[in-house]
Amino acid sequence: MANEVILLDVWASSFGMRVRIALAEKGVEYEYKEQDLQDKSPLLIKSNPIHKKIPVLIHNGKPICESLIIVQYIDEVWNEKSPLLPKDPHQRANARFWADFVDKKIYDYGSRIMWKKGEEQEEGKKGFLDCLKLLEGELGEKPYFGGESFGFVDVAFLPFSCWFHSYETCGNFSVEKECPKIIAWLERCKEKESVSKSLLDPQKISEFVVMLKKRFGVE
Ligand code: GS8
């Protein structure tokens, strides 16, 4: 059967970027359909009726929702190239644990740094840096989170790095100063074409954040 792959996405979404990295890593061709979240398309609503959120992958007419679930689906379907999850059940569980940790913590603290002020922003900054330090500890001296090869946790975490510059500007701190190993890991990952072509320019994200702040009247 021919593989028809469609991705419903929004250019600046870290969740969407996860899927773009995984598809690029596997060498899967797909049709990209940019979505307008202010005016959701019937296709998005039909494909993700529960959350009505991007990203959604539509594979041969069947939708898959939630970025981490999509990345695992991609890994299972296109399993002959670049495995993302390890084979060993304990290592798999560990990879899922850290991807879930990124999901639950990084986005939330990052958002607090960007959109809140005063005490709430400080809490966001502290929470964010504490999480980065835990991730740095998990990475240790390994080249990638899963060990010698690029994998699931790298895919889950990498897109948030495009927002680091915005977090740093809003929260007045430096990730490189606080967590140099995370930046070294990021640079290492960017040597891969699947990553460099899927990640967005942090400057473009910063301009987007400034535009959003103006639109929503956030100083
Ligand atoms: C999160 C997707 C999400 O927040 C995942 O795929 O991992 N847990 C999900 N998507 C946002 C855009 S990115 O910030 C979205 O589609 N929002 C639309 C809405 O909330 O109405």
Side-chain angles (χ1 to χ4, degrees), residues 10 122 142 157 187:
V10 166
E122 279 308 306
K142 305 188 293 273
F157 182 29
E187 294 307 322

Side-chain angles (χ1 to χ4, degrees), residues 10 12-16 18-19 37 40 44 48 51-56 65-70 103 107 163:
V10 166
S13 168
S14 298
F15 304 106
R18 287 172 167 169
V19 180
L37 296 180
K40 293 179 183 171
L44 174 59
N48 190 354
H51 298 304
K52 303 176 184 68
K53 289 185 180 192
I54 59 91
V56 179
C65 305
E66 289 292 312
S67 59
L68 290 179
I69 294 174
I70 301 172
D103 233 25
Y107 179 71
W163 293 76

Side-chain angles (χ1 to χ4, degrees), residues 71-150:
V71 172
Q72 293 179 68
Y73 176 84
I74 292 170
D75 199 32
E76 283 171 18
V77 173
W78 290 277
N79 58 1
E80 64 293 334
K81 193 183 165 203
S82 311
L84 296 172
L85 274 157
K87 284 209 163 55
D88 174 76
H90 185 260
Q91 286 175 12
R92 276 171 96 82
N94 196 46
R96 289 184 175 124
F97 172 87
W98 285 105
D100 181 62
F101 176 83
V102 169
D103 233 25
K104 288 188 175 132
K105 307 277 183 182
I106 296 290
Y107 179 71
D108 185 40
Y109 285 130
S111 301
R112 277 195 236 175
I113 300 171
M114 284 192 304
W115 305 113
K116 303 290 181 193
K117 283 276 155 217
E119 216 172 291
E120 272 186 286
Q121 188 185 44
E122 279 308 306
E123 272 170 28
K125 188 167 134 181
K126 184 179 178 314
F128 178 75
L129 288 172
D130 285 350
C131 288
L132 282 196
K133 288 190 175 137
L134 288 170
L135 282 158
E136 201 172 40
E138 169 60 18
L139 179 67
E141 300 306 320
K142 305 188 293 273
Y144 302 105
F145 278 92
E148 290 305 311
S149 53
F150 183 74

Side-chain angles (χ1 to χ4, degrees), residues 6-9 16 19 31 33 35 43-49 52-59 62-67 70:
I6 298 170
L7 176 61
L8 310 185
D9 202 353
V19 180
E31 185 186 345
K33 289 194 178 175
Q35 301 296 298
L43 181 61
L44 174 59
I45 293 168
K46 186 177 131 211
S47 308
N48 190 354
K52 303 176 184 68
K53 289 185 180 192
I54 59 91
V56 179
L57 189 80
I58 309 176
H59 183 206
K62 289 189 268 184
I64 304 105
C65 305
E66 289 292 312
S67 59
I70 301 172

